[in-house]
Amino acid sequence: MGEKSSHNHARERLRESLSAAMDGEASELEMRRVLDRLDSDDELRGAARRYQMVGDLIRHEATDYMGIDLSAGIREQLKDEHVSSESSQNATADQVDSKVVTLFNRFWERTGQVAVAASVTFAVILGVKQYNAEPGTEYLADAGSQATLYQPFQVKPGGYGASSIQAGYHSKQHSSISSEQLAQAQDVATRAIRERFRAYALQHAELSTMYSGQASLPFARLTTFETQ
Amino acid sequence: MVEQPQSDQHLVERVQKGDKQAFDLLVIKYQHRILGLVGSYVSDYQEVQDVAQEAFIKAYRAIEKFRGDSSFYTWLYRIAVNTAKNHLVSKGRKLPESDIDVHDADFLDSAASLRVVDTPERNLYRDEMERVIHDVIRRLPDELRTAVMLREFDGLSYDEIANVMDCPVGTVRSRIFRAREAIDKEVEPLLRRG
């Protein structure tokens, strides 16, 4: 029940941010949060449309097309287009972050489990590769075909009466990972970690504002974090 | 008509830097005005939507050229008028004799001057919506009603409303939001009913 209540509170705060954003009165962080969500949150999009429509109706400016929504069609049509100005190449870190967060959130929503499995696999491969680089690795023979499993594990006596287990996967494919590819993978992983942490920090800031009298402080902390 | 050149400029700059979601919000803000405008040139209901959509697409593709000399809406307005006229020419139809002065775009009362495809059903629907909204506004507490009317009807900024109402800007923001939510509670079911 408490969780539901805090969820409702978070949604209410998001809608308040939307209301301010529609009036051009939202802070930069709020604007980013609203725009990030607008793409995937139908309920928020609906609220945005209704806020605008209500304003038109209050001013008696509503047209006969007030039930029409072109935005979905336009989004679809512009999906693969980019603004081709120089400024787009010089996008600020804010916009880049904003896009990365959106993509990142979608990615984690849909492929979280796959990513975890892939990470574990990758770690195992790296471990084995490192092991291979060490002298005296007589457990692994030169592979004649790719993805062939040689001696999946070998138990050898260890100290203190315990046994150590060593994995023994080897393939040409794995051993041909270049340092460039490795650096790329590390870069992607670092960015993913950073963005995930940022998403957590943002979520934390939102929740903190609900339970704190000094509502702006968590966002201030977050801003400090983002500038680092 | 309430114009928000500053807030639009901020969104436009975001779009120029590649933020498509910012353009999405601009579409949501202006689609009905543009539809109404195009509807004054093109009579077919479906064609109006196609032309309006084309106008937005053109605006997006040209947005790097927008320098903020006029308001975004004025600029978009010109694109929409040209797109509508081109559409008429391409269909071999006659262009309207009188034109709406683009310099008046910021002050254009779209409902009064452009409504040409009214049907009794649409009129009824719009009137019903207006009635419900104004009824809710009448029932709002004074401070919420004043805040939302100063914003929506008079187009005042939050700072200006805070001065008028002698309260903090955060309170203004909260009052406007609460008023909108109260209205939305009544409007949403009506829209779903269609």
Side-chain angles (χ1 to χ4, degrees):
Chain A
M1 187 175 161
E3 198 174 312
K4 193 179 176 185
S5 165
S6 68
H7 174 73
N8 289 341
H9 198 102
R11 286 222 58 90
E12 194 177 302
R13 293 201 62 103
L14 186 64
R15 283 174 70 124
E16 185 173 337
S17 296
L18 172 70
S19 167
M22 298 290 287
D23 292 334
E25 303 272 1
S27 68
E28 179 59 30
L29 187 65
E30 281 183 309
M31 181 65 90
R32 189 196 301 173
R33 195 160 48 118
V34 167
L35 293 177
D36 279 352
R37 296 289 292 272
L38 204 59
D39 197 31
S40 57
D41 190 333
D42 288 341
E43 196 252 314
L44 195 68
R45 289 183 71 79
R49 286 184 55 212
R50 292 193 300 277
Y51 286 167
Q52 185 61 43
M53 184 192 301
V54 165
D56 290 344
L57 284 162
I58 287 175
R59 293 184 296 274
H60 303 287
E61 288 179 359
T63 68
D64 298 311
Y65 302 93
M66 66 180 183
I68 303 291
D69 181 26
L70 298 176
S71 63
I74 291 169
R75 258 195 316 164
E76 181 63 26
Q77 208 167 332
L78 294 178
K79 201 167 57 182
D80 300 321
E81 289 200 28
H82 301 282
V83 175
S84 58
S85 67
E86 280 182 19
S87 56
S88 66
Q89 291 166 7
N90 299 326
T92 63
D94 272 5
Q95 270 90 27
V96 173
D97 279 356
S98 167
K99 282 181 176 177
V100 171
V101 168
T102 307
L103 290 171
F104 179 76
N105 287 342
R106 278 192 217 142
F107 173 79
W108 275 99
E109 278 169 15
R110 293 172 191 173
T111 60
Q113 289 182 331
V114 175
V116 169
S119 302
V120 171
T121 308
F122 187 65
V124 169
I125 291 165
L126 276 182
V128 172
K129 183 176 163 55
Q130 200 165 17
Y131 176 80
N132 276 341
E134 291 171 7
T137 53
E138 67 277 14
Y139 304 107
L140 303 173
D142 185 24
S145 62
Q146 290 193 2
T148 307
L149 180 66
Y150 291 94
Q151 299 179 338
F153 64 87
Q154 184 158 349
V155 180
K156 64 179 183 181
Y160 310 105
S163 297
S164 64
I165 299 175
Q166 294 178 326
Y169 294 93
H170 181 73
S171 74
K172 278 183 179 174
Q173 187 179 21
H174 296 148
S175 61
S176 66
I177 295 173
S178 69
S179 58
E180 199 174 297
Q181 286 172 317
L182 193 61
Q184 274 181 341
Q186 281 172 338
D187 185 46
V188 169
T190 306
R191 286 181 65 182
I193 289 165
R194 186 170 175 273
E195 291 310 325
R196 182 155 215 200
F197 186 77
R198 185 181 167 278
Y200 282 147
L202 189 59
Q203 190 181 17
H204 170 72
E206 282 178 13
L207 291 173
S208 297
T209 56
M210 285 183 224
Y211 302 110
S212 165
Q214 296 165 303
S216 61
L217 277 181
F219 286 111
R221 276 190 227 112
L222 180 61
T223 309
T224 311
F225 157 72
E226 286 183 332
T227 56
Q228 286 171 358
Chain B
M1 178 179 295
V2 178
E3 282 301 321
Q4 302 160 352
Q6 277 191 327
S7 68
D8 286 345
Q9 184 58 29
H10 186 58
L11 285 170
V12 168
E13 282 167 14
R14 293 187 78 109
V15 180
Q16 287 172 329
K17 287 170 181 166
D19 187 344
K20 280 185 190 169
Q21 282 112 327
F23 190 73
D24 203 21
L25 193 57
L26 286 169
V27 172
I28 290 172
K29 282 179 80 169
Y30 291 117
Q31 58 180 342
H32 294 132
R33 286 184 208 171
I34 293 300
L35 281 162
L37 174 66
V38 172
S40 67
Y41 288 88
V42 179
S43 54
D44 183 86
Y45 198 71
Q46 184 55 48
E47 279 182 31
V48 168
Q49 294 173 52
D50 294 342
V51 172
Q53 179 157 329
E54 192 187 338
F56 276 109
I57 301 288
K58 282 182 178 173
Y60 180 81
R61 288 173 181 159
I63 205 157
E64 67 189 90
K65 293 173 192 153
F66 179 73
R67 291 284 170 257
D69 299 331
S70 62
S71 75
F72 173 74
Y73 178 68
T74 305
W75 181 75
L76 179 62
Y77 171 96
R78 291 185 184 121
I79 292 174
V81 168
N82 287 335
T83 309
K85 285 181 175 177
N86 288 342
H87 176 78
L88 290 178
V89 170
S90 73
K91 295 278 178 185
R93 293 182 205 155
K94 196 179 166 191
L95 291 172
E97 284 176 12
S98 62
D99 213 346
I100 301 156
D101 184 358
V102 293
H103 299 296
D104 293 335
D106 285 348
F107 311 102
L108 188 69
D109 179 350
S110 56
S113 57
L114 301 175
R115 195 177 297 145
V116 293
V117 288
D118 277 3
T119 64
E121 293 80 15
R122 289 181 202 146
N123 276 338
L124 196 66
Y125 182 59
R126 189 180 53 240
D127 290 348
E128 166 75 356
M129 294 284 282
E130 281 188 3
R131 189 191 61 72
V132 168
I133 288 168
H134 286 284
D135 192 44
V136 178
I137 290 173
R138 259 194 301 278
R139 284 187 276 119
L140 286 173
D142 278 350
E143 67 273 15
L144 300 196
R145 183 170 58 242
T146 306
V148 78
M149 289 306 279
L150 286 174
R151 173 65 216 158
E152 295 288 16
F153 204 76
D154 298 304
L156 267 55
S157 70
Y158 285 10
D159 270 334
E160 291 167 329
I161 297 171
N163 280 334
V164 171
M165 297 186 76
D166 195 23
C167 65
V169 172
T171 306
V172 169
R173 172 191 154 114
S174 168
R175 284 174 181 172
I176 290 171
F177 169 64
R178 279 155 57 206
R180 280 180 173 149
E181 285 293 285
I183 297 167
D184 192 52
K185 212 172 160 185
E186 305 279 335
V187 166
E188 194 189 8
L190 268 181
L191 285 172
R192 252 189 277 127
R193 206 179 64 197

